[in-house]
Amino acid sequence: TEERTTICCYCACGCGMLASVRDGELVHVEGDPDHFVGEGGLCPKGASEFQAEYIVNPENGKLEENPARVTSPKVRRPGGTDWEDISWDDAISEIARHMKDTRDATFQEKNDDGVTINRTEAIGCLGGSSMPIEEEYLIVKLFRELGTLTMDNQAR
């Protein structure tokens, strides 16, 4: 087993982690006691990062791939009760189509006084703290171009 250092991806704290790898597969994750941020501690999200991919089978105590892990985009159609797998290309196309249709249906060029406002109040954007500032900058630019007013970031 090889031990590699990494950074937790769940928030902007940047806690250090030790990742144990065997034959190219992740087999264990724990806090890095030598890292200056978490000093070996991890929050519940960071501590459970490993379980996203693997679980310990309670029947035999062996490490197995997590059968509940989602590995592809899914969609639940209007009125449907089941999720269906779709391709990444289809997912991106459907999201783009929904955003365009929503923007077209709700776009306001002028307010009641005739002043140009060019906005939509029907689309919002929530950024994530695990993204670098450059990525957040591009996301904000995109949503401002769409005319979105409601933008926030959960990095608190």
Side-chain angles (χ1 to χ4, degrees):
T1 302
E2 297 176 32
E3 207 171 68
R4 299 180 184 160
T5 58
T6 186
I7 303 293
C8 180
C9 66
Y10 279 112
C11 73
C13 292
C15 295
M17 302 176 85
L18 297 175
S20 299
V21 179
R22 183 183 307 129
D23 299 326
E25 293 287 327
L26 182 67
V27 295
H28 183 71
V29 173
E30 63 186 75
D32 183 353
D34 295 327
H35 195 272
F36 66 95
V37 175
E39 297 177 336
L42 293 173
C43 73
K45 291 187 290 184
S48 67
E49 190 165 334
F50 176 70
Q51 284 78 18
E53 187 168 352
Y54 295 100
I55 61 167
V56 175
N57 185 323
E59 295 173 9
N60 59 24
K62 294 190 177 189
L63 197 61
E64 298 177 355
E65 287 190 15
N66 185 347
R69 182 175 181 216
V70 177
T71 58
S72 67
K74 297 186 179 294
V75 65
R76 187 174 66 191
R77 303 288 178 201
T81 58
D82 296 324
W83 291 92
E84 68 179 78
D85 289 332
I86 61 173
S87 71
W88 284 104
D89 288 340
D90 288 344
I92 291 168
S93 294
E94 288 188 29
I95 291 168
R97 173 57 37 212
H98 286 299
M99 287 184 67
K100 174 88 168 87
D101 291 347
T102 300
R103 183 177 183 268
D104 289 349
T106 62
F107 194 75
Q108 303 168 327
E109 289 185 32
K110 299 186 183 290
N111 66 11
D112 293 339
D113 298 327
V115 176
T116 301
I117 54 175
N118 290 334
R119 70 179 187 199
T120 179
E121 296 176 353
I123 300 174
C125 174
L126 177 63
S129 59
S130 62
M131 295 182 228
I133 192 167
E134 295 84 4
E135 190 173 348
E136 289 288 354
Y137 173 79
L138 292 174
I139 290 168
V140 166
K141 295 291 277 184
L142 167 67
F143 278 85
R144 286 201 192 285
E145 186 68 26
L146 290 172
T148 302
L149 297 176
T150 311
M151 287 181 267
D152 200 356
N153 190 300
Q154 58 88 9
R156 301 210 191 323

